[in-house]
Structures are given as C-alpha cells and as structure tokens.
Amino acid sequence: MPAYKLTYFNARGRAEPIRLLFAAAGIKYEDVRIEGADWPALKPKTPMGYLPILEVDGATLCESTAIARFVAKRAGLVGKDDLQQAKADMIVDGMKDILKKLILMVLEKDEIKKEELKTDISEKTLPEFLSKYENLANPSGFFAGDSLSWADVDFYNLIERVRAMFPGDHLKGKPNLVKVMANVKANPGIAKWVKERPESAF
Amino acid sequence: MPSYKLYYFHGRGRAEPARLMLAAAGLPYEDIRLEYEQWPEYKPKMPMGQAPVLEVDGTMICQSVAIARFVAKESGRAGKTNIEQAWADMMADGFVDMLNKMADYVWYEEDEARKAEKKKTFFDTTLPEFLGYFEKLLVANNGGGGFFVGDGLTHAEAFFLCLSDDIIAEKPNVLSPYPKLAALVERIKTYPGIKEWLAKRPQTPF
C-alpha cells in the first residue's frame, strides 16, 4: 500500500482538485498544510520551487495538473483509452486560461482595473467558456467517455471557485454542465470531503 | 494506422512539441498550416475555438500539451510507469510555464517600457532560477547524461527544445551555467526522426 503525502499551504487553491480525487477514490493520504513561514526552508527541496508536491513511492512530484493526473490514474478516473484520456487532458488544460484570468483579477490592486477585469470575466470570458464546455460535455454529464473522470471533478472545482467570486446561476440553460456538477457531487467520497474539509480563505 | 492531421499556423509556436514527438515516433501526418485569413472558417470547427488541434481519424483533440502527450503515448514515449509519466508531465508543464511567461511580454505586452522590464526580469531572475531546478532534476536522473525521465526521450524533451530554441535565440549563452541541460539540447537535436525534421522544417519567425 503506497503512502501518499501531499504538501501545500492551508488552502484549497491548487491542491484542491488533488484532494477531491483522493476523496472520490477513497484513497488515504497525508494532507500536509504548511505555514507561510515554513515555506522558504522547504522551497529548495522541492523539484521546481513551488507547491503542491506529492511524495509517493520514494518519488516527489510537482505541478498540480501532473499530480492530479497521476492520482486520477491510480483512482481509475483518467479515461478508458488514449483518446478519452486526451479528451480529459484537453478539458483540464482548457480551464487554465480562465483560472489565470480569475487569479489576475483577484491579485489586481488597482480598484478600477479590478472592476474592468471582473466585468470582462463575467460578461465575456465566463459565458464564452461555459458555452464551449456545454458542447464538450455529453448529455449524461461527463466530459470523457460515459463515466466520471478527473476532468469532471476539475470542472466542478472551478465552478465552485467561480461561484464564490461571481454569485449567480451561471449554468442556466446548460443542461450538460448541470449534470456534470450533479455527477461529481453525487460521488460519496467527494460529498463527504466537501462537508468535512478544513475551512480556508481560498 | 490512424490518420493524423495537425492544424496550426505558419510557425513552430504551440504546435512544435507535437511535431517533434510525431517526428520522434516516425508517424506520418498532415502538417496543416493555416493562413490567418482562413482561421475564421476553421475556428468554429475546433473544440475550443483554438489551434493547435490534432485530428485523429476524425476525433479532434486540442490543447498543446494534451496533443503532445497523446502523440508521445502512441510511440511509448510518455514515460514507462505512472511515476515516470507524472515526471514527464510535470516537466512539460514547467516548460510551458516558461513559454507562457515569454509569450506574456513578447505577444501580450504592448507598452514598450513594460515589455523591456518584463523581459529583463525573465532573463535575470525567473529563468535562471527555473533552469537551476531543471539542471538538478536532470542530474538526479542517473547523472544527467541521458534524458529527463527514465532512459528515453519523452514529451518533456519536446517542450524543453522549444523553450531552449526561444531563449537561445535571445541570449545565445543562456545555457552555459547549466552544462547538462546544454548537452541535452544537442542530444535532442540529433535524436533519430527529430534530426531529420529539424533539417527540413520550414524556417519561421516564431
């Protein structure tokens, strides 16, 4: 039985998709959350100087997407063949653009610029993204094949983050995406984790 | 043998890692290079309205890293174990981070002063720190005389070559503090399949 040790800050952030996948598969892991003050000492020991990292089987992995894909493989949630796996990969990568814009907006200190970025996201980027993704999900509510994959879980996590910043029913008129969210929430491991996970600011 | 069509523009850009892996695999494909005027007609047909796109027997895959990884898998060059695959993935993602940071100032920053500032920060601080980590990662793989992961070329090398092409074009001696990385660039360039592709690929500004 391999031991998994996930290290990140005390936040959902870039580690949460990984934690959701561990939960979905019922895989036990050590959920290490470090204080900011402890980071400088740890940084040079990480593969590329940032978190999250996953220690497993004597190896250390970084890059949240690479880690999530690795856990998804161990959990049987990557997709059934190379093409399905590629579909899941492209769905996950396609979300990086909008996530980047969300983060830039959050970090923007100039209030006027921040409002401009917010408007751009809520009126342009987000609706366009959701339209594209509605067409990429199937009517059963899955992005890759016809069963739950890490692409669905990642999408769910993104929408939760979006809702926290932009309240509203963004999935109105998007039945495929509504089903994706329902499929993910229906996973007992995920439902339990979401209820019990530590509170954190982001 | 599936049919492969790769759609992109006249450039290396985000399609080149896939082209390198197709070359390494010896897989024939249609290397479709669209004119910008053609793009409005093709855009709605693409899964996310973007290129590159790889069409495999009619199924379309987008996102450059997903494409490169798929092609790598087709010839067993994506890593032999789950851990090796994750290492190749993490390194490819790391190189894409750097390529994106370059793209930020090359393509997306219009203010000349800010452009110059961002470029300086990239070459003085961001890139050296990053390359330092990667020299270490390469050396950790059996002394660094081979490849990043296991004992063969993976998609990690494809993304690394694309990044080193761009950074060396700006600063020819940028890899001299990182001898193992510099030697790896030469090994990739002479890799069977890739060597022939590099000799015949169209010369383009990006």
Side-chain angles (χ1 to χ4, degrees):
Chain A
M1 177 71 171
Y4 297 94
K5 184 174 165 189
L6 178 69
T7 303
Y8 192 59
F9 303 103
N10 183 22
R12 293 182 298 286
R14 290 189 187 278
E16 198 60 16
I18 302 164
R19 297 188 186 113
L20 288 164
L21 288 167
F22 275 128
I27 296 176
K28 286 194 172 18
Y29 69 106
E30 219 185 314
D31 183 18
V32 176
R33 294 162 185 251
I34 66 165
E35 298 300 318
D38 296 331
W39 172 232
L42 178 59
K43 187 178 157 95
K45 300 182 191 170
T46 63
M48 292 188 212
Y50 41 75
L51 297 178
I53 58 172
L54 182 73
E55 292 166 76
V56 55
D57 297 349
T60 305
L61 310 174
C62 68
E63 282 288 347
S64 58
T65 310
I67 297 172
R69 183 181 301 103
F70 173 83
V71 174
K73 275 182 205 175
R74 294 268 167 112
L77 293 172
V78 276
K80 305 234 169 346
D81 56 35
D82 284 354
L83 275 176
Q84 277 191 22
Q85 288 162 19
K87 177 96 190 283
D89 285 347
M90 82 188 206
I91 294 293
V92 171
D93 281 353
M95 290 190 259
K96 289 183 179 176
D97 281 344
I98 188 167
L99 184 59
K100 184 176 171 185
K101 289 196 166 156
L102 287 170
I103 292 173
L104 281 174
M105 182 273 291
V106 166
L107 295 177
E108 179 58 60
K109 296 189 169 63
D110 179 306
E111 283 303 322
I112 298 180
K113 182 99 212 271
K114 199 185 184 77
E115 276 310 306
E116 275 173 27
L117 292 175
K118 263 189 148 174
T119 306
D120 184 62
I121 292 172
S122 66
E123 291 182 9
K124 188 163 171 294
T125 315
L126 185 59
E128 281 174 10
F129 162 77
L130 291 173
S131 284
K132 271 193 274 188
Y133 271 56
E134 172 68 10
N135 292 332
L136 291 167
N138 67 26
S140 312
F142 303 111
F143 281 113
D146 46 27
S147 57
L148 193 76
S149 77
W150 67 300
D152 307 318
V153 177
D154 210 50
F155 177 80
Y156 158 84
N157 187 60
L158 176 68
I159 295 301
E160 293 292 292
R161 288 178 94 164
V162 164
R163 279 186 181 148
M165 296 182 232
F166 295 92
D169 186 10
H170 304 289
L171 302 186
K172 192 162 167 189
K174 299 196 164 40
N176 296 348
L177 296 180
V178 168
K179 282 221 94 167
V180 172
M181 297 297 284
N183 286 336
V184 175
K185 285 183 197 172
N187 177 283
I190 289 183
K192 184 170 188 285
W193 169 250
V194 168
K195 236 173 55 179
E196 298 175 356
R197 66 186 167 190
E199 286 295 315
S200 54
F202 66 98
Chain B
M1 169 76 102
S3 89
Y4 300 104
K5 291 184 187 179
L6 182 65
Y7 297 86
Y8 194 59
F9 305 103
H10 284 279
R12 288 166 280 109
R14 293 192 185 273
E16 198 62 16
R19 296 193 186 111
L20 290 166
M21 292 314 292
L22 285 160
L27 287 170
Y29 68 103
E30 232 183 295
D31 184 19
I32 300 168
R33 294 170 181 243
L34 301 171
E35 305 296 335
Y36 291 131
E37 304 84 66
Q38 290 177 287
W39 181 236
E41 179 204 330
Y42 281 83
K43 185 179 158 93
K45 303 178 188 176
M46 306 309 194
M48 293 185 198
Q50 295 171 323
V53 167
L54 182 72
E55 192 178 331
V56 185
D57 288 340
T59 300
M60 289 187 147
I61 304 165
C62 65
Q63 293 295 328
S64 57
V65 187
I67 295 171
R69 180 182 303 104
F70 175 83
V71 172
K73 280 185 202 173
E74 296 293 89
S75 71
R77 289 183 169 84
K80 304 250 175 328
T81 62
N82 284 353
I83 299 267
E84 280 190 12
Q85 289 157 15
W87 270 331
D89 287 346
M90 84 184 193
M91 294 185 197
D93 280 350
F95 295 126
V96 170
D97 276 345
M98 288 299 118
L99 285 164
N100 285 342
K101 288 196 157 74
M102 284 190 90
D104 267 345
Y105 72 76
V106 170
W107 297 102
Y108 300 117
E109 180 56 72
E110 279 155 9
D111 180 292
E112 285 302 322
R114 289 242 294 270
K115 205 200 244 294
E117 200 188 308
K118 283 184 178 177
K119 185 174 171 177
K120 189 172 191 308
T121 305
F122 179 77
F123 278 98
D124 287 354
T125 311
T126 317
L127 186 64
E129 186 184 329
F130 175 85
L131 292 173
Y133 279 106
F134 269 83
E135 180 80 356
K136 237 173 85 181
L137 285 171
L138 180 56
V139 168
N141 191 22
N142 270 310
F147 299 95
F148 281 118
V149 176
D151 52 20
L153 183 115
T154 65
H155 48 297
E157 270 79 22
F159 285 95
F160 174 56
L161 185 66
C162 290
L163 176 66
S164 53
D165 275 351
D166 286 352
I167 57 179
I168 290 172
E170 283 297 327
K171 200 176 165 190
N173 59 356
V174 68
L175 290 183
S176 0
Y178 317 99
K180 300 288 186 188
L181 290 176
L184 176 60
V185 172
E186 297 312 309
R187 269 200 296 290
I188 303 170
K189 286 183 175 175
T190 52
Y191 190 90
I194 291 185
K195 181 174 176 194
E196 289 77 3
W197 168 247
L198 294 178
K200 76 172 198 191
R201 72 178 172 185
Q203 294 302 312
T204 50
F206 69 92

